[in-house]
Amino acid sequence: MIPVITIDGPSGSGKGTIARLLARRLGWRILDSGALYRLLGLAAQRRGIPLDDEARLAQLARTMEVAFDDERVLLDGDDVSLEIRTEEAGNRASRVAALPAVRQALLQWQRDYARAPGLVADGRDMGTVVFPDAPLKIFLTASAAERAKRRYNQLKEKGLDANLRDLIKEISERDERDRNRSVAPLRPAPDALELDSTGLSIEQVMDRVLDEVRRIWPDQGV
Ligand code: C5P
């Protein structure tokens, strides 16, 4: 059994940052499952496939060539790391992610990503659907205003254009769609540890998560 830690939550909750730090600390692989949906949205756009053509999108999900190479994300060999981070790409991702056949097509790919020595999996349904047997599941939240502010700072840091008011609106719409879709909606697994990171620093959230890691895997030496 490969050890897996799942980190789920809405956009801007800090799960990406915590997942990255945790994977580095443990020397485990990291799965950014949101990037898969973002990549599919981009691949569809490039091929002119409408975002509601479920059958063609599922087929594309099975055949698109994606690679995660350190911090870089490649689609059919092209570095699209920045292109998939825009809010537009996030919205496209959330639309294709609502389609059951698309989620099914990406399921095994995600499970196969778990390899020794371990995996930190970041997303919306990592603990509920993709890795239901993971020994440690975190569900990270934060208030909508704080999440929009974090997203704003992140985009600005990357040199991307951002407007706080638009971000609050887009984040709320995307959360709404993620929470209310019929398949794999955003919600904590029954056995997930729920952490509200509003007003907490990254270090404070990490400390809390590391306490759990030490409790479950005392030999990891973290
Ligand atoms: O986490 P990120 O913002 O990159 O995710 C983009 C979109 O992909 C989310 O809004 C969500 O709709 C979708 N997603 C998902 N399941 C996951 C990860 C992301 O449905 N495990």
Side-chain angles (χ1 to χ4, degrees), residues 7-12 15-16 31-38 84-87 89-99 103 110 121-127 130 151 171 173-175 177-179 181 183-186:
I7 306 190
D8 291 303
S11 41
K15 65 195 158 54
L31 171 64
D32 175 0
S33 62
L36 284 180
Y37 294 98
R38 288 171 182 264
I84 59 163
R85 291 298 152 205
T86 62
E87 285 307 294
N91 284 322
R92 271 200 305 262
S94 130
R95 288 183 57 193
V96 299
L99 305 171
R103 304 197 73 88
Q110 296 176 83
D122 152 6
R124 303 288 186 294
D125 63 339
M126 298 295 98
V130 183
R151 200 61 157 195
I171 280 189
E173 280 171 8
R174 185 136 66 91
D175 287 352
R177 186 157 50 217
D178 291 350
R179 283 205 175 91
R181 67 186 174 210
V183 55
L186 171 66

Side-chain angles (χ1 to χ4, degrees), residues 159-174:
L160 293 168
D161 201 25
N163 170 299
L164 192 57
R165 187 137 29 99
D166 291 349
L167 271 178
I168 293 179
K169 187 166 161 276
E170 279 166 9
I171 280 189
S172 309
E173 280 171 8
R174 185 136 66 91

Side-chain angles (χ1 to χ4, degrees), residues 86-152:
T86 62
E87 285 307 294
E88 193 202 336
N91 284 322
R92 271 200 305 262
S94 130
R95 288 183 57 193
V96 299
L99 305 171
V102 162
R103 304 197 73 88
Q104 185 59 37
L106 291 174
L107 190 58
Q108 199 55 45
W109 193 98
Q110 296 176 83
R111 289 188 175 151
D112 289 343
Y113 206 75
R115 311 236 180 91
L119 180 75
V120 179
D122 152 6
R124 303 288 186 294
D125 63 339
M126 298 295 98
T128 48
V129 176
V130 183
F131 300 107
D133 299 327
L136 178 54
K137 300 176 182 175
I138 309 282
F139 193 83
L140 207 54
T141 58
S143 70
E146 173 128 353
R147 292 189 286 117
K149 206 168 72 203
R150 288 180 190 164
R151 200 61 157 195
Y152 177 83

Side-chain angles (χ1 to χ4, degrees), residues 11 26-28 39 43 50 62-63 72 75 77 83 97 106 109 112 123 125 143 145 159 166 172 186 191 199 204 211:
S11 41
L26 287 159
W28 292 5
L39 283 162
R62 275 187 285 270
T63 51
R72 292 191 319 152
L75 174 64
E83 216 173 327
L106 291 174
W109 193 98
D112 289 343
D125 63 339
S143 70
D166 291 349
S172 309
L186 171 66
D191 52 346
Q204 286 170 317
D211 280 346

